[in-house]
Amino acid sequence: MALTQQFARVTREYLERCRASALDSPGSAPGWNPPAEDLLDTDWATWGLIRYCRATRTATALMTLLGRAISGDPGGDIGFLDHPEVYDGFDGPPQLLAPTAVRDIARALDAIDLDDVLWNLPTTNDEAAAACGFGRGFNGDVREYLVQHFEAMREFYGGAASRGQCVVVWTD
C-alpha cells in the first residue's frame, strides 16, 4: 500500500457541520465529503523534496515550511476527523491549519524559487530519484514530478488563503 500526502480546503463552518455529524451519528461518522476541487493529493513529491533539501543541506527554510504545510499545527481540535470515513488510520490522524496559518504558508510558498532549490538535482533520473528517496525505477522525470506537485500545492494553498479557508492535512 502506497501512502500519499492529502490536503482538503474547508471552511470553519464545514468543520462544525462535520463535528455535529460525528456527535449525532452512530459510529461517530463526521460526514466528511469535501468537493473534489478542494482536495489535493501530492503523492510522495513533498516528502521527496524535503528529503532532497535535507540531503543537500540546502533550503532549510523550505524544509520547515513544507513540514508545517504537510503536518498541520498542534491543537487544531479536529479529533472527530480521526475516523475511517476520513483516512485509513495508517499514519497519524488529520491535522488542521487555521486560515491565518494557511495565509502565511501561501505567502511563503509564493516566495520560493524552486529552480534555485533544485539547481543541483542530478540530471540522470535514477540519481535524482535516489536523492529524493524514491529509489530506482521511478517512472517519469523526477524534476518535473517535484515541480508539478509543488506548483499544485502552491496553487491549492493560495486558493485556500484567498477564500479564508482552513486546510486539513493527512497521510493516506
Side-chain angles (χ1 to χ4, degrees), residues 26-167:
S28 302
W32 179 256
N33 192 22
E37 63 270 12
D38 287 324
L39 298 172
L40 176 66
D41 180 342
T42 60
D43 209 21
W44 313 289
T46 308
W47 304 326
L49 188 54
I50 291 170
R51 181 166 175 156
Y52 171 74
C53 292
R54 187 176 295 129
T56 59
R57 294 185 170 98
T58 61
T60 305
L62 177 59
M63 283 189 308
T64 302
L65 170 65
L66 292 175
R68 183 178 186 202
I70 66 173
S71 299
D73 286 337
D77 192 26
I78 58 169
F80 58 92
L81 294 179
D82 188 358
H83 190 275
E85 184 179 277
V86 179
Y87 81 117
D88 66 13
F90 188 80
D91 197 26
Q95 296 295 317
L96 180 69
L97 288 157
T100 302
V102 169
R103 206 170 33 254
D104 292 345
I105 291 169
R107 283 187 196 131
L109 289 170
D110 279 344
I112 300 296
D113 183 341
L114 203 55
D115 287 332
D116 283 350
V117 173
L118 298 176
W119 73 270
N120 200 27
L121 185 70
T123 55
T124 67
N125 216 42
D126 283 345
E127 290 175 358
C132 295
F134 300 147
R136 294 184 145 291
F138 179 86
N139 293 326
D141 180 273
V142 173
R143 178 182 295 273
E144 182 179 307
Y145 174 78
L146 294 173
V147 170
Q148 175 188 5
H149 285 86
F150 180 82
E151 290 297 329
M153 188 169 67
R154 184 188 332 234
E155 290 175 26
F156 186 85
Y157 268 94
S162 70
R163 293 184 274 181
Q165 291 177 302
C166 301
V167 171

